[in-house]
């Protein structure tokens, strides 16, 4: 196992699919400009910097959450923060990772 393998994120596809099957809410924490360039249908948009002031809203959804962003860094921060506040959340990484599993209407 090389040094770079330590930083490789595990395959999240099974966990993402499990969360979606449980009715998870997709939480996109990117900037408004990034959101406007494209996002998953039905996703909620709350910019990372405002997550602390929106914790109660997120908790009120009463659903598991999949946090996403452009590359997985910001969604990882959001997931860690939300977990510490009792939210059932995973880091879905880039929004396209989760988008591919969504049922298109």
């Amino acid at each position: 196992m090389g040094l770079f393998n330590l930083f490789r994120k595990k395959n999240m596809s099974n966990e993402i699919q499990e969360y979606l099957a449980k009715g998870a809410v997709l939480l996109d924490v990117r900037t408004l400009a990034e959101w406007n360039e494209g996002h998953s249908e039905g996703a909620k948009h709350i910019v990372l910097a405002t997550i602390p002031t929106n914790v109660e809203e997120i908790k009120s959804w009463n659903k598991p959450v999949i946090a996403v962003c452009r590359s997985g860094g910001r969604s990882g921060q959001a997931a860690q923060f939300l977990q510490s506040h009792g939210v059932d959340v995973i880091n879905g990484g880039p929004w396209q990772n989760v988008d591919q599993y969504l049922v298109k209407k």
Side-chain angles (χ1 to χ4, degrees), residues 5-22:
N5 288 333
L6 294 172
F7 301 106
R8 191 173 290 160
K9 189 175 179 183
K10 69 177 184 171
N11 184 340
M12 294 290 297
S13 61
N14 289 340
E15 197 168 14
I16 289 169
Q17 290 175 354
E18 288 171 14
Y19 267 65
L20 289 172
K22 294 191 292 186

Side-chain angles (χ1 to χ4, degrees), residues 16-40:
I16 289 169
Q17 290 175 354
E18 288 171 14
Y19 267 65
L20 289 172
K22 294 191 292 186
V25 173
L26 189 57
L27 173 62
D28 194 321
V29 300
R30 296 175 299 149
T31 65
L32 181 58
E34 290 172 305
W35 168 267
N36 288 338
E37 289 174 3
H39 56 271
S40 297

Side-chain angles (χ1 to χ4, degrees), residues 49-63:
T50 66
I51 293 291
T53 59
N54 287 288
V55 171
E56 293 308 315
E57 176 189 343
I58 295 166
K59 285 181 170 184
S60 76
W61 299 340
N62 291 319
K63 293 185 176 198

Side-chain angles (χ1 to χ4, degrees), residues 29-103:
V29 300
R30 296 175 299 149
T31 65
L32 181 58
E34 290 172 305
W35 168 267
N36 288 338
E37 289 174 3
H39 56 271
S40 297
E41 185 177 331
K44 305 273 189 189
H45 181 235
I46 301 176
V47 177
L48 176 63
T50 66
I51 293 291
T53 59
N54 287 288
V55 171
E56 293 308 315
E57 176 189 343
I58 295 166
K59 285 181 170 184
S60 76
W61 299 340
N62 291 319
K63 293 185 176 198
V65 174
I66 304 173
V68 296
C69 65
R70 185 180 65 208
S71 66
R74 288 173 286 176
S75 54
Q77 292 175 20
Q80 187 175 30
F81 179 83
L82 291 169
Q83 283 172 350
S84 74
H85 286 81
V87 176
D88 181 10
V89 57
I90 59 169
N91 178 7
W95 69 272
Q96 294 94 335
N97 279 0
V98 180
D99 195 63
Q100 67 183 326
Y101 299 109
L102 298 176
V103 176

